[in-house]
Amino acid sequence: MIKNELIKKTFLKKAINYIEKDPEKNFGHLIELAKKLPVADVSKKQINSVEAIWNDPSNVWHDFIIKILTKVNPQMRKKLLENFVINAGIGGADKLNKNRKKYNCNIPWAILMDPTSACNLKCIGCWAADYKKTDSLDYDTLSSICKQGKELGTYFYIFSGGEPMTRKNDLLKLAREHNDCIFLAFTNGTLFTEEFVKEVLEVGNLTFAISIEGYEKETDMRRGVGTYKKVIKGMELLKKYNILFGFSTMYHSKNEDIISSESYFDFLIDKGAYFGWFFTYIPIGKDAVTDLLATPEQREHMYYKIREYRTTKPLFTLDFWNDGEYAGGCIAGGRRYLHINSNGDVEPCAFIHYSNVNIKDVTLLEALQQPLFMKYHENQPFNENMLRPCPLLDNPEKLEMMVNESGAVSTQPIDKENVSDLIKKTIPAAEKWAPVADKLWKKSLSKKNK
């Protein structure tokens, strides 16, 4: 088995080197080669999907692939292709599937971890506001998480915080040490320098999702006056060096009309973004304001607009709530990802601040087998309607049940928020969203059955 994996990886590395000689011309040959490999069914489907796109020049995703092959710095493109296609993709998928069966628990495709809770901004509605600002994970712990993750098949590591860019040197060091992995940092985008960007280009396997809330008015409303201008400077610097990067946007009741506009998507593409992560506002912590929660009408509007732009804009987008129908429901609790905060608490999700264990005391596998994560494993999906995927925002009674039955405790030292108090803030939103989601889900199923 190990020999077959080695042959497969060696074969693909040579194929990637081959397409780098003439990316646009040779990409089709790479697809043909990949189709001949003995890979997991999920990888076969992905390869077939890419082939269909590549063979249709009128498809906007064909343009997207061309853009990556011709615009992204060659050094970064090659490294990301190797790590995404070979390690996190084909090789990682096989490993993950085997270990999920072997250990009968969730094994994540990606791990989100916080190097620090320190931040140079103080944003309204920050999900990490009730963590201690002095908490941090030392380098050895961060590296150990990556080593253990790779043994299980996880090759994608995401940084959040706090502001991970306050640990720039450690981010670069991790990328160099684990050069077979992909690293992505969620960042407020205010700390980029030309010197740092050049080092990012040199390591090749570190990229960014820059937080932006719309234009200047919307961004500065949540993140502070002057933030927007710094964010734009950061984007322009990354674009100057042809670094593949994206953005992270939280839509809420005050900015959804801007976030869903075609001009906003075009603006971010023009600034150099290749991908975008869309979140909806979640009221976490003692000072959370519930009037920022998106209305059912706004969430439905985002549902339609993001799907529309996926067929017309060369931009890869993820909507973590409305894309439940593609992900098979909630992806947290290690099913596709988990969160390790800067104190080391292993949480199901960045928005679910409860845990039974700390990564400083247990192995990564033991963390995945903790009572709360096993409740996720047993109960996912949390709803037959995949447009109601979340155990907090859409099915709050499920979160209350899992936290109480697992004996998990709050990981917020500033505000030990009881789960019953937390869900009181989301129950009204869940009740209002349910009939809208049911209507959308019925329509989606009808289309699939035609």
Side-chain angles (χ1 to χ4, degrees), residues 236-304:
E236 289 172 348
L237 192 53
L238 292 171
K239 183 179 180 181
K240 173 183 174 182
Y241 285 92
N242 298 316
I243 288 177
L244 189 151
F245 75 93
F247 63 90
S248 169
T249 283
M250 179 177 285
Y251 65 91
H252 51 77
S253 61
K254 310 297 184 186
N255 72 348
E256 187 275 334
D257 58 331
I258 300 295
I259 300 306
S260 62
S261 69
E262 184 174 12
S263 60
Y264 182 64
F265 276 66
D266 289 340
F267 159 74
L268 289 166
I269 292 170
D270 180 66
K271 288 300 174 188
Y274 286 81
F275 60 88
W277 302 59
F278 287 86
F279 300 87
T280 191
Y281 174 76
I282 303 292
I284 302 295
K286 62 180 180 179
D287 296 324
V289 289
T290 55
D291 67 352
L292 284 177
L293 278 162
T295 66
E297 293 77 17
Q298 289 173 322
R299 186 168 169 183
E300 180 181 17
H301 191 236
M302 288 299 299
Y303 172 90
Y304 282 117

Side-chain angles (χ1 to χ4, degrees), residues 184-248:
L184 181 145
F186 281 108
T187 173
N188 61 40
T190 65
L191 299 177
F192 286 105
T193 64
E194 194 142 9
E195 180 183 5
F196 175 70
V197 169
K198 288 178 180 178
E199 290 190 81
V200 168
L201 202 55
E202 180 261 319
V203 297
N205 60 335
L206 171 62
T207 186
F208 307 92
I210 299 175
S211 296
I212 187 167
E213 310 297 327
Y215 301 112
E216 187 166 13
K217 177 184 174 183
E218 296 79 25
T219 299
D220 286 1
M221 184 276 284
R222 278 198 67 220
R223 299 182 175 273
V225 176
T227 301
Y228 175 82
K229 290 179 180 177
K230 293 178 182 177
V231 167
I232 297 305
K233 284 183 180 178
M235 288 184 171
E236 289 172 348
L237 192 53
L238 292 171
K239 183 179 180 181
K240 173 183 174 182
Y241 285 92
N242 298 316
I243 288 177
L244 189 151
F245 75 93
F247 63 90
S248 169

Side-chain angles (χ1 to χ4, degrees), residues 3 27 41 71 91 122 164 182 184 187 203 214 270 291 309 320 327 378 385 425:
K3 185 178 179 182
F27 187 77
D41 288 343
K71 300 295 185 183
K122 190 173 181 179
I182 301 166
L184 181 145
T187 173
V203 297
D270 180 66
D291 67 352
Y309 297 143
F320 278 88
E378 293 161 10
N385 182 340
K425 292 183 281 190

Side-chain angles (χ1 to χ4, degrees), residues 25 108 115 169 175 237 243 316 333 377:
K25 177 182 176 182
N169 291 338
L237 192 53
I243 288 177
F316 182 80
H377 181 252

